[in-house]
Amino acid sequence: MTATYKICLLAGDGIGPEIIAEGVKVLNAVGAKYDTAFEYTDALIGGIAIDETGEPLPAATLDAARASDAVLLAAVGGPKWDTTDPNAPRPEQGLLGIRKELGLYTNLRPVQIFNALADASTLKPEIVDGVDMMIVRELTGGLYFGMRERFYDEDGAGPNGTKGQRAYDTLEYSEYEIERIARQAFEIARKRKNKVTSVDKANVLETSRLWREIVHRVHDEAYADVELEDLLVDNTAMQLINRPADFDVVVTENMFGDILSDEAAQITGSLGMLASASMGDGVALYEPSHGSAPDIAGQGIANPLAQILSVEMMLRYSFDMGEAADDIRRAVTQVLDEGWRTGDIKDAETPADKIVGTVAMGDLIVERL
Ligand code: NAD
């Protein structure tokens, strides 16, 4: 019997509509090969949702996401919606909102080197050789979701006694939030190289001391077979560049994970190649790690591979279609080995006839599939 999966498509802004079309093309090719039907529902998020409904995350979008088996998102944002007015709607609120509403507390960011692109890294080839890590970032707690306020301090009660504007953000974590992300990290490590690096700032922050205590308790109770190391976040920032191949699973809180995953992404030298997944206990969301690239939107030159690799993750984690996911990874590797490049991943030696646009790159992947 043909399996059927419902997928909610959130194209968003900038290059979003161009790259998501290639993701759908690849899904359809996989569906034909593996006797699986994918049904799609389009919904609005980000800037385009603000333009059409006044809100970055309309209720209809949440309904469509909840009614699906997985969500495929491209990217949101652009200069049109940039504002410092704290009361104006912003495209990123759509992203933060959908993560919160769907309970997506885990963000997975794989960082892997494709051999054909090893030269794209700014690090020496011998340093990046064998890099294969998974950053597991807590996504719905911490500083980005804590209480915040901006106000005018009439009484000059601030640190230097002067009147003026003040603001604060709050960093808070509960035992429950730390425990569930720690479990996810250990489970993933067991399917990989069996090592977890837990990143915190326990020498300064109370939330980090709680983080470290809970991660160790979960480890000792249920995952003693997994190697566990603690690393302070500042040291981690250095070691990611010094010895990136030593990392397997890196688990950390929301803001540290935001920063470190972008740093780790740069190790590959090709942002247009990196996918991500956000998951909780229900429907999961898959998207490229890069933004909406407004500088190249509408030109047909965006790299669709991060979007296509996010489809790979969707097949692997939401639909348990590991074989199909491996097919996609093989197809991407093959196309790169054959020398095909989009503009962002070409180098001085790439011949002009090997540089292709968004649609042609998608076609190449489908042909190899
Ligand atoms: P960006 O990732 O959009 O672009 C950074 C640079 O990388 C640009 O030069 C862009 O052309 C290039 N690039 C990115 N993806 C590419 C691709 N697939 N193919 C070829 N080149 C690619 O980051 P930015 O410029 O800092 O942000 C642009 C907008 O995207 C902002 O509004 C930002 O808020 C938003 N943003 C959204 C997300 C998201 O939706 N998850 C993430 C980051 C930034």
Side-chain angles (χ1 to χ4, degrees):
M1 206 182 72
T2 307
T4 304
Y5 294 112
K6 294 199 199 87
I7 298 173
C8 175
L9 299 177
L10 304 176
D13 309 312
I15 59 171
E18 298 165 63
I19 58 173
I20 209 165
E22 302 312 305
V24 169
K25 198 152 87 184
V26 167
L27 272 166
N28 289 337
V30 165
K33 183 169 172 187
Y34 287 91
D35 193 22
T36 302
F38 297 111
E39 289 172 2
Y40 308 104
T41 309
D42 289 292
L44 297 170
I45 193 167
I48 187 167
I50 294 174
D51 287 353
E52 295 197 12
T53 72
E55 294 171 56
L57 181 63
T61 297
L62 266 182
D63 291 343
R66 289 201 176 103
S68 66
D69 296 306
V71 180
L72 187 66
L73 179 120
V76 301
K80 182 177 174 192
W81 303 281
D82 280 347
T83 169
T84 50
D85 175 357
N87 298 315
R90 283 174 291 109
E92 312 82 66
Q93 288 168 337
L95 267 187
L96 294 180
I98 198 167
R99 289 169 182 166
K100 191 81 183 170
E101 291 294 331
L102 296 180
L104 307 177
Y105 58 84
T106 307
N107 184 235
L108 301 185
R109 294 264 296 250
V111 179
Q112 234 175 339
I113 293 276
F114 285 91
N115 284 339
L117 299 180
D119 286 344
S121 176
T122 50
L123 301 182
K124 295 188 189 106
E126 63 267 29
I127 301 274
V128 296
D129 186 37
V131 166
D132 179 9
M133 76 180 98
M134 181 71 87
I135 303 212
V136 179
R137 165 186 168 195
E138 202 290 326
L139 203 57
T140 54
L143 203 57
Y144 295 0
F145 290 94
M147 207 160 61
R148 73 193 55 175
E149 195 188 353
R150 178 164 152 174
F151 59 99
Y152 191 83
D153 182 1
E154 296 278 0
D155 308 323
N160 55 4
T162 55
K163 294 181 183 180
Q165 289 202 73
R166 284 172 64 193
Y168 64 82
D169 300 273
T170 322
L171 172 49
E172 189 175 339
Y173 268 109
S174 70
E175 189 171 349
Y176 166 74
E177 289 170 296
I178 301 168
E179 183 170 333
R180 65 183 181 177
I181 190 87
R183 284 187 188 283
Q184 293 259 27
F186 288 123
E187 290 289 339
I188 290 165
R190 274 187 177 157
K191 294 186 194 127
R192 295 173 45 95
K193 293 176 274 176
N194 220 35
K195 179 177 170 188
V196 170
T197 303
S198 172
V199 175
D200 61 37
K201 187 72 183 169
N203 52 346
V204 178
L205 300 175
E206 199 54 44
T207 37
S208 280
R209 287 191 273 271
L210 180 65
W211 179 280
R212 195 176 280 207
E213 188 184 312
I214 304 302
V215 168
H216 277 265
R217 175 172 62 68
V218 172
H219 173 261
D220 295 350
E221 281 172 8
Y223 299 95
D225 55 300
V226 181
E227 186 186 341
L228 170 63
E229 69 172 355
D230 302 300
L231 212 55
L232 293 174
V233 63
D234 38 352
N235 191 9
T236 309
M238 294 193 284
Q239 300 310 327
L240 276 176
I241 292 175
N242 257 338
R243 49 176 185 92
D246 286 354
F247 290 96
D248 179 16
V249 173
V250 176
V251 64
T252 190
E253 58 123 286
N254 203 342
M255 182 178 65
F256 295 162
D258 189 10
I259 298 167
L260 292 178
S261 55
D262 270 15
E263 185 194 353
Q266 278 308 307
I267 293 170
T268 67
S270 24
L271 192 58
M273 297 295 303
L274 294 169
S276 81
S278 303
M279 34 187 62
D281 300 320
V283 59
L285 180 146
Y286 300 85
E287 61 182 312
S289 296
H290 59 71
S292 59
D295 52 334
I296 58 163
Q299 298 176 27
I301 58 171
N303 182 351
L305 291 176
Q307 182 83 76
I308 289 169
L309 291 167
S310 64
V311 165
E312 179 215 330
M313 293 186 85
M314 173 185 284
L315 295 171
R316 201 180 293 286
Y317 293 110
S318 280
F319 305 150
D320 209 12
M321 295 176 69
E323 211 179 309
D326 289 345
D327 278 355
I328 293 180
R329 182 151 285 270
R330 256 195 307 275
V332 171
T333 307
Q334 190 183 342
V335 165
L336 294 173
D337 285 347
E338 289 166 9
W340 301 101
R341 300 284 186 271
T342 44
D344 58 312
I345 51 173
K346 71 176 193 310
D347 62 21
E349 271 119 68
T350 309
D353 63 346
K354 287 282 188 181
I355 301 172
V356 294
T358 313
V359 173
M361 183 53 100
D363 288 343
L364 282 164
I365 302 300
V366 166
E367 279 166 29
R368 300 304 175 274
L369 277 171

